[in-house]
Amino acid sequence: DVIVKNQKDGGWRPYPDAHSCTYELMELARSRQQPLMKGFAVKVHAREGALLRHGLHEYVYNHGERPVILTWSQTKKATLAPGDSACIGPMVTHRFGACAKGPSELLMVRVPENVFSVVGMMLMGICAVSPTGMVHSFCGIDTSGMSVLMDVM
């Protein structure tokens, strides 16, 4: 499947609301096969943006021209320069802040635990995904040298 979402079909929305907008979010194209995986283009307007906390793994990439401050656990900070990225675990309270005049621009992808686990296992070489989308874990090698697979999802 290829899913295309045009900017005119969704557009930017203020977050947390129109009166105290510290971020603008635009939802990116989503797959019907992965309805819980979410992607956003994010514009960071405030020096200290609204707090964010959710139950998903969050991957962030600074694709803009300005650095962004990532703050988590109230006191820990990191500067994401253009081209830098970060991975934020589920339920970690965090925020982004603009370092310079004008909005900073991020690409944000939020992934549920079950997708993260499958991708992690694939990267570690302990599971495979068939063309039908079935997830298999390797549980051994039979006498012919073929991998024995066990369905896990």
Side-chain angles (χ1 to χ4, degrees):
D1 255 0
V2 174
I3 298 160
V4 175
K5 182 174 182 181
N6 295 309
Q7 184 175 347
K8 64 180 170 59
D9 296 335
W12 296 94
R13 64 181 169 93
Y15 184 88
D17 57 49
H19 300 295
S20 57
C21 175
T22 59
Y23 310 116
E24 283 184 278
L25 304 174
M26 180 173 54
E27 190 172 333
L28 304 177
R30 290 172 69 178
S31 168
R32 289 180 285 280
Q33 287 77 24
Q34 295 291 338
L36 299 178
M37 189 166 15
K38 302 173 182 181
F40 300 94
V42 181
K43 291 181 184 177
V44 181
H45 292 288
R47 286 216 176 268
E48 192 170 90
L51 288 172
L52 303 167
R53 185 173 183 233
H54 48 78
L56 303 173
H57 294 269
E58 182 173 286
Y59 298 88
V60 180
Y61 174 73
N62 183 350
H63 73 91
E65 298 175 1
R66 297 175 181 90
V68 175
I69 299 293
L70 167 61
T71 304
W72 70 98
S73 300
Q74 297 181 3
T75 59
K76 297 179 181 173
K77 294 184 180 208
T79 300
L80 300 179
D84 289 352
S85 61
C87 176
I88 302 162
M91 305 310 292
V92 173
T93 301
H94 60 286
R95 67 174 49 161
F96 300 100
C99 295
K101 289 186 177 183
S104 298
E105 298 177 6
L106 303 172
L107 172 65
M108 177 186 293
V109 178
R110 293 177 176 171
V111 181
E113 181 69 35
N114 62 341
V115 173
F116 177 79
S117 298
V118 169
V119 171
M121 287 190 299
M122 287 172 59
L123 292 172
M124 291 185 291
I126 58 175
C127 84
V129 179
S130 71
T132 62
M134 177 64 74
V135 178
H136 307 277
S137 66
F138 296 109
C139 57
I141 298 179
D142 68 13
T143 56
S144 68
M146 296 296 293
S147 298
V148 178
L149 301 176
M150 175 181 75
D151 294 342
V152 294
M153 286 183 138

